[in-house]
Amino acid sequence: MRRPVSLSLTLLATAALGLSACKRVEAPAEAATPQAPAAAAKADGALDATANDNLNAVLWMQRAQEYKAITEQTYRAAADHLDVALREAHWDALVPEERGNDAKGLKPAVVLDVDETVLDNSPYQARLVRDGKEYDELSWDQWVAEKKAKAIPGVVDFAKAANAKGVTLLYISNRAVHLKDATLANLREQGLPVADDSVFLGLGTVVEGCEQAGSEKNCRRRLAGQ
């Protein structure tokens, strides 16, 4: 990897998907009607709790002003701290074993996850609710190939501010490496800075001397810090 990491940001936007709507709101464009098979009424008239929770979560993420306010506030706060972080030569968010580049004089970088941190995949989740289905790799790959995910509110302004200060954006994601081209195209279309193909570190990235355990990101984080 050509760049060190001296800045790190992880937006916990995924927490939003675990929250239910507090009031009835308009259904999302791709959620369709709750009469889908998985959300259809049971014989006793009760709705499937899991499907309902998923629908509520999608509605909250797509329609709640609180969600938009939270993500924008988080990214504004991150942007406000860029100058302070850049002035401190040894400031970073790496654990000791992920360090290794301080003496190489390479550009600072911000590490970002992709899904629900940079890109909003709630339309894909809405389709699953509508069609009474669950996540599977085929439907997920098809969604990624569409390159239709929108940017999380606030992330583009933050990313552009970081890029303007000479900071490289690194995307460490559990999207598989074969989805790299579609993911980078989606990021670029949404206005996210993409320096080159090497900034995407997807699941399956080979890191010499480091054995990856399942989907954990430790090896890729170590690579980002070398």
Side-chain angles (χ1 to χ4, degrees):
M1 194 66 195
R2 301 184 296 109
R3 302 174 180 86
V5 171
S6 61
L7 291 174
S8 181
L9 170 70
T10 300
L11 174 66
L12 301 180
T14 50
L17 289 177
L19 298 175
S20 296
C22 296
K23 61 181 179 179
R24 184 176 179 179
V25 291
E26 178 185 353
E30 300 229 33
T33 172
Q35 299 303 316
K42 295 181 178 179
D44 60 359
L47 292 177
D48 183 277
T50 301
N52 256 354
D53 284 346
N54 290 339
L55 178 58
N56 286 338
V58 171
L59 284 167
W60 192 85
M61 188 170 178
Q62 291 190 351
R63 295 290 184 259
Q65 290 303 308
E66 293 88 347
Y67 171 77
K68 183 173 183 288
I70 289 168
T71 60
E72 289 181 340
Q73 180 184 51
T74 300
Y75 277 115
R76 278 198 302 271
D80 289 344
H81 285 80
L82 279 172
D83 288 336
V84 173
L86 289 170
R87 283 197 299 267
E88 298 182 19
H90 299 292
W91 187 95
D92 63 44
L94 298 173
V95 295
E97 59 267 25
E98 292 171 350
R99 294 189 176 94
N101 268 347
D102 291 345
K104 295 184 179 180
L106 299 178
K107 295 173 65 175
V110 167
V111 174
L112 292 164
D113 190 13
V114 173
D115 298 310
E116 278 53 69
T117 300
V118 173
L119 295 179
D120 171 9
N121 300 292
S122 63
Y124 169 72
Q125 298 293 336
R127 292 179 188 180
L128 297 182
V129 174
R130 179 195 65 195
D131 299 337
K133 296 181 179 180
E134 297 182 353
Y135 167 88
D136 64 78
E137 291 186 2
L138 176 59
S139 65
W140 172 250
D141 286 6
Q142 290 171 340
W143 160 250
V144 173
E146 292 180 33
K147 302 182 283 290
K148 290 183 178 179
K150 301 299 183 183
I152 295 292
V155 69
V156 173
D157 287 344
F158 166 76
K160 288 182 175 179
N163 188 58
K165 295 178 184 296
V167 177
T168 297
L169 279 297
L170 299 176
Y171 304 94
I172 299 182
S173 171
N174 279 338
R175 291 187 175 199
V177 291
H178 70 268
L179 300 175
K180 178 181 70 175
D181 290 344
T183 299
L184 292 180
N186 197 166
L187 292 170
R188 289 187 176 103
E189 191 277 333
Q190 288 298 306
L192 276 300
V194 176
D196 54 52
D197 287 1
S198 72
V199 301
F200 177 75
L201 301 177
L203 185 62
T205 299
V206 177
V207 181
E208 186 177 353
C210 186
E211 184 175 352
Q212 179 171 286
S215 61
E216 57 83 18
K217 300 177 180 178
N218 292 343
C219 291
R220 285 169 285 164
R221 286 178 56 84
R222 184 179 300 178
L223 179 60
Q226 293 176 347

